[in-house]
Each structure stands twice: as C-alpha cells, then as structure tokens.
Amino acid sequence: VVLLPALAGTIFEFAPLATALVRAGYRVVGVHFPGIGQSTRPMRPPATLQEYALHVRTVLDALSPPVTEPVVLLGRALGNRIARVFAVDD
C-alpha cells in the first residue's frame, strides 16, 4: 500500500491508517514528495502531476526488497490526483 499525502502534507498524516495496515499484514510505503517532509531535494517548480507520479515510481523502484506485486495507491487531495496519473501512466 502506497500512501500519498496532500500538497505540503507529510506521510505522518497517515500514521493511524499505516499502523492499522501494517498490523493487518500489509507492506506500507509512504512517499514524501520532493521538497516536503523527509525528502532529499526540492522538485524543480512547477512540477507536473506526471513528474510527481514518476517520483512515486522512482521511490518504488528503489525499495528493498523490490515491489513485485501490484500496489494499492491511497492519496489525499493532491496525492489522489498523483495516484490517478500513476495508475494511467505506469
């Protein structure tokens, strides 16, 4: 399960949900968008939804162990829009 926060939000807004999902046996990944939370670099503005979706793909590709099954994307506000673009483009 991939958690995508709202614009300027952090993955910590999903803490209760993430805890419940982990307890239920799901692998949970929270994605901070560039320039937000614990990300390492800002994204070149203005970022497009496609660029944010590519960032999600980059995060998933960097995971260890790698993601080998389909993912469920849960997004709030902008995170929802990014999830929909990811689903179409990926």
Side-chain angles (χ1 to χ4, degrees), residues 8 20 26 29 34 37 42 51-52 56-57 65 74 77 80 88:
Y26 292 94
V29 176
E51 288 172 315
Y52 283 121
V56 173
R57 169 50 55 206
L74 297 175
N80 172 278
V88 170

Side-chain angles (χ1 to χ4, degrees), residues 27 60 65-71:
R27 182 180 184 188
L60 293 178
V67 175
T68 58
E69 298 179 5
V71 298

Side-chain angles (χ1 to χ4, degrees), residues 4-7 14 33 73-84:
L4 305 173
L7 179 64
F14 292 110
F33 297 115
L73 299 163
L74 297 175
R76 184 175 156 270
L78 180 66
N80 172 278
R81 291 182 182 99
I82 295 166
R84 289 184 285 153

Side-chain angles (χ1 to χ4, degrees), residues 15-36:
L17 175 61
T19 299
L21 289 169
V22 169
R23 284 185 183 150
Y26 292 94
R27 182 180 184 188
V28 177
V29 176
V31 177
H32 277 144
F33 297 115
I36 305 296

Side-chain angles (χ1 to χ4, degrees), residues 27-50:
R27 182 180 184 188
V28 177
V29 176
V31 177
H32 277 144
F33 297 115
I36 305 296
Q38 297 174 343
S39 66
T40 58
R41 62 173 179 79
M43 185 171 278
R44 170 192 47 78
T48 65
L49 292 174
Q50 287 77 16

